Amino acid sequence: MEIKCVGILTSGGDAPAMNAAIRAVTRAAIYNGFEVKGIMRGYKGLISGEIIPFKTQNVSNIIKQGGTILKTARCQEFTTPEGRKIAYETMQKEGIDALVVIGGDGSLTGARVFASEYNIPIVGLPGTIDNDLYGTDTTIGYDTALNTIMEAVDKLRDTASSHERLFFVEVMGRNAGFLALNGAIATGAEAAIIPEIATEVDQLAELIQNGFRKSKNSSIVLVAESEVTGGAMGLAKRVEEEYPQYDVRVTILGHIQRGGSPTASDRIIASRMGEAAINALLEGQRNVMIGIQNDEIVYVPFSKAIRNDKPINRDLLNTVKILSI
Ligand code: ADP
């Protein structure tokens, strides 16, 4: 089937540079002769019909804005066959023949189910600060979030060293430790506690046994939010009970990690990936996520991208340890 009109939506957790991706998809689509429609609030807008025709000027001046001009949402109804049927009917009514879905692992899972039920060409873009999608070196928003973490932890270091305290700083990542681990390297933190190895080693006990505080007047440990690590609160509770000699403080960075003007690196990958999404549709690709591996654009089948076991470079844990002696 010939594609005439491409719909774009952002779904799930928002991430910086989603706007840069929306801009790139819109402009590349129009350049190649497609019509473009912006779908508001993710799958919700596809069900309710909240859809806006997009011209090149609809995406003017958004490359530097955080958040997403299309808004995002979580949509329970789309997880049901009835909800997806309404979404499909909206697409028919609006004349949308293909979709570009920008979002994380949940959003791409939804895209995969929808595409298989209705035989619709869908291309995904990895929009998440967590960097937890398989088959791409990085995701849209990850670098900006990492920089936000770096700035926040730099500030905490000033106060931590004035008081000789142990700080647990909880960062996002869902079940992935990329933000914690690379955030730890970027800030010279004493350790990172990540979910990928949580079931294999007692990272807290190891940290204390390593005598991490001996020659220092402050210690900062980046902790990935996750049930398996216990999060920063869970670890602080353990320290209070098991190692009461330490004065512990907890900082949960929370949603500030999602905001802010995107870094150059995020703007560039979002722009390249957005253009690549349209090239993929032109080439007849469907059910693929655009990824970047070794600076080259790659197509990753949805089934692979959402596998949920993106490997982390464990050598970097050692790097953190060696560089913080
Ligand atoms: P993210 O994309 O950031 O991982 P979510 O996991 O919240 O965010 O997913 C976003 C939306 O994707 C959900 O609210 C839902 O509408 C849709 N979705 C997620 N999983 C499925 C699924 N298994 N089937 C259909 N839709 C899904």
Side-chain angles (χ1 to χ4, degrees), residues 11-13 43 73-75 78-79 84 103-107 109-110 113 174:
S11 163
Y43 295 124
R74 298 205 149 89
C75 176
F78 194 75
T79 63
R84 292 192 295 274
D105 134 272
S107 304
T109 305
V113 175
R174 208 154 34 174

Side-chain angles (χ1 to χ4, degrees), residues 127-153:
T128 168
I129 64 166
D130 301 337
N131 195 25
D132 60 350
L133 289 159
Y134 191 93
T136 186
D137 294 341
T138 188
T139 57
I140 295 167
Y142 171 63
D143 184 65
T144 306
L146 206 46
N147 277 278
T148 302
I149 290 168
M150 185 181 74
E151 284 170 25
V153 174

Side-chain angles (χ1 to χ4, degrees), residues 91-235:
M91 282 183 69
Q92 285 187 310
K93 201 164 70 199
E94 291 278 342
I96 299 171
D97 321 296
L99 283 181
V100 176
V101 172
I102 308 168
D105 134 272
S107 304
L108 300 189
T109 305
R112 184 187 179 206
V113 175
F114 192 42
S116 68
E117 278 173 344
Y118 292 100
N119 196 26
I120 307 160
I122 307 186
V123 173
L125 295 185
T128 168
I129 64 166
D130 301 337
N131 195 25
D132 60 350
L133 289 159
Y134 191 93
T136 186
D137 294 341
T138 188
T139 57
I140 295 167
Y142 171 63
D143 184 65
T144 306
L146 206 46
N147 277 278
T148 302
I149 290 168
M150 185 181 74
E151 284 170 25
V153 174
D154 284 351
K155 291 189 171 125
L156 281 170
R157 177 70 80 182
D158 293 340
T159 162
S161 33
S162 306
H163 283 286
E164 305 197 343
R165 277 178 179 150
L166 167 60
F167 266 87
F168 285 127
V169 183
E170 183 174 298
V171 300
M172 286 184 167
R174 208 154 34 174
N175 292 311
F178 296 97
L179 286 171
L181 186 50
N182 284 309
I185 294 178
T187 55
E190 277 62 42
I193 293 188
I194 60 170
E196 286 84 349
I197 62 163
T199 54
E200 296 163 35
V201 276
D202 184 343
Q203 297 172 88
L204 178 64
E206 202 173 64
L207 178 73
I208 306 272
Q209 274 151 26
N210 283 340
F212 65 101
R213 244 189 121 200
K214 273 187 195 133
S215 58
K216 299 202 169 173
N217 59 9
S218 77
S219 285
I220 291 186
V221 177
L222 265 64
V223 181
E225 66 170 357
S226 153
E227 273 175 26
V228 284
T229 61
M233 293 299 271
L235 288 165

